[in-house]
Amino acid sequence: MNRPLENEITQGDPNVYAELGYLNAAEMQRKSQLAAEIARAIKARHLTQQDAAELLGVDQSKVSRITRGQFRGVSEARLLQLVAKLGHDVNIVVGPAQRRTGKIELHFT
């Protein structure tokens, strides 16, 4: 005997911040991706938070907050600078939009 499903599963927005109703969801997602890349780069280089802080020119508590995803109050530009200081090239490409409003995307290689 087949029982009916009690819970229906629906596909949500790929941007969790949009799904949660944040007005600046796209920015929050980009900042989250940058923070994750910073954390990954620190781990890949086997840096302590203190070593990373010295390299990045910030205090250790800021490194701790960013790597735990607490990046409010840190601009995208600042996060991009930190990524560059960790040895990554950052390329910004500006071109015509394919629709009315342009979009900003991050691609990590």
Side-chain angles (χ1 to χ4, degrees), residues 55-66:
L55 175 68
L56 299 173
V58 299
D59 59 20
Q60 179 273 327
S61 64
K62 175 82 79 176
V63 172
S64 177
R65 286 192 305 275
I66 290 171

Side-chain angles (χ1 to χ4, degrees), residues 33-44:
Q33 291 170 323
L34 289 167
E37 184 60 23
I38 290 166
R40 190 206 60 73
I42 289 169
K43 183 176 181 179

Side-chain angles (χ1 to χ4, degrees), residues 10-65:
T10 58
Q11 177 82 24
D13 192 300
N15 181 340
V16 68
Y17 299 103
E19 194 70 24
L20 293 172
Y22 283 89
L23 295 177
N24 56 347
E27 177 186 2
M28 295 288 289
Q29 183 177 35
R30 288 189 305 271
K31 288 170 72 171
S32 141
Q33 291 170 323
L34 289 167
E37 184 60 23
I38 290 166
R40 190 206 60 73
I42 289 169
K43 183 176 181 179
R45 291 179 66 168
H46 305 288
L47 297 172
T48 65
Q49 285 187 353
Q50 187 59 47
D51 291 338
E54 290 173 17
L55 175 68
L56 299 173
V58 299
D59 59 20
Q60 179 273 327
S61 64
K62 175 82 79 176
V63 172
S64 177
R65 286 192 305 275

Side-chain angles (χ1 to χ4, degrees), residues 27 31 34 71-81:
E27 177 186 2
K31 288 170 72 171
L34 289 167
F71 44 78
R72 287 185 190 239
V74 182
S75 70
E76 283 183 75
R78 183 68 175 133
L79 291 171
L80 287 168
Q81 289 172 343

Side-chain angles (χ1 to χ4, degrees), residues 97-103:
Q98 301 298 314
R99 60 211 152 283
R100 266 184 203 258
T101 303
K103 65 180 178 176

